[in-house]
Amino acid sequence: VLLLAAAVAGVKLDVGDEPTPADVAVQVRLRAPALLEQKHAEHFLLQRRRTFEYFQSPDGVDTKYRAPGAKKLRACEDALGIRLEAMKRGRTCKLFVFPRPDGIWFLVRRGDPFKREGSIEKTGMTSVYYRPEKYDVLKYDEGLGELAINAEGNKKLAEHYRELVGVLLFDDAKHFPDTAKFTLEPLQEAGAESLVCSDVEGIDSVVLKELQVYWGGAYGESTTHKAKDLFAAWAAHERSVPKGRLVKASFLVRFTGQKTPRTVTIRPNNIASYTRNEDATLVEQWLALRGFVKTPI
C-alpha cells in the first residue's frame, strides 16, 4: 500500500528490489511523513466492525458535499481540541478525510482520559501513566444528507461531532438535528413480510434472530426473544410479534456470493451495527424499502 501510494504521489524511495515493510515505512516516514500518517489512518478505518448512530439533514436544505480546505479542517481540529480538553481527553487531535464511493469518511484520532496501569521492570513492580490513543469514525452520505457517527457510544462526543461537521461542511452547527431514523414497527405491522428482500440486488435472504421488547412498568421489565428464525418459531407455535415497544432487533443477512450470513442489529431511534462497514449500503436500501427507515423531517 505504501509503495503504491508513494509512486502515485511521486515520492522516490530507495528500498531496493525486495524491501521489508519496515524498510518502506521508514523511508516514507523520512520523505513523506504526512503520507504515512494518512495511510495508517486509512488502514484503521477499514479494519473493524462498527456501530453507527445516524443523524439526517432536514428536508429542503443543501446536502451537496464540498470538500473543505486545509484552513477549515485545521479550524475544526482546533475547535474539537478545545472540547476534548474540557472532557479530560487532551487537546491533541487529528481529522482525516477519505472520499470513497459509498460516502465521505472522516477519521478522528484523539486521546482518552489518562490511565494508570501496573507494570513490571527489572527493578520490580511499578506503574505507567499515559493517555490512550483512540479513533472515532464518521461518514457523510450526500445523497441521503445523512451523518453516521461511531464514537464508542459516547453521547457527548457524538453531539460535538454533529455540530462540528455541520460547521465544517455547511457552516451550520444545527445542520444535523437529533431526530429519529429507524423504527421496528414493520415487524409488528407486516410480520414475516417485512423481511422480503427479493427487490434488493445483492441480498439473498434476511432472517430475524433476536428481538428485545420493552414493557416498562415500575420495574422496567423487558423480554428478549431468540431463535435461529424467530418468525418460523412463532409460526410453529401459532404466535406473532409481541405488542410491546420494540427496542432492538438483530437480523441474519445473507449477501449474494457469501456462504455465511452476517449480523445486522437495529436499535431505534438512530443506531445500526454492522459486521462489516461495506454492508451498510445494501442493508439500508433494504431497510428503507421495508419501512424500517423513517422519512427525514
Side-chain angles (χ1 to χ4, degrees), residues 29 47 60 77 99 127 129 143 147 151 158 173-174 184 202 209 213 218 222-223 244 260 264:
R29 175 67 180 84
Q47 70 179 2
E77 288 178 347
S127 63
Y129 189 54
L147 179 66
K174 299 185 181 300
L184 295 176
K209 71 169 186 175
V213 186
S222 65
T223 55
T260 304
V264 174

Side-chain angles (χ1 to χ4, degrees), residues 27-47:
Q27 285 274 321
V28 177
R29 175 67 180 84
L30 292 172
R31 301 188 180 189
L35 179 63
L36 179 67
E37 189 177 35
Q38 181 86 357
K39 286 301 172 182
H40 176 265
E42 187 174 5
H43 174 72
F44 179 88
L45 181 73
L46 303 174
Q47 70 179 2

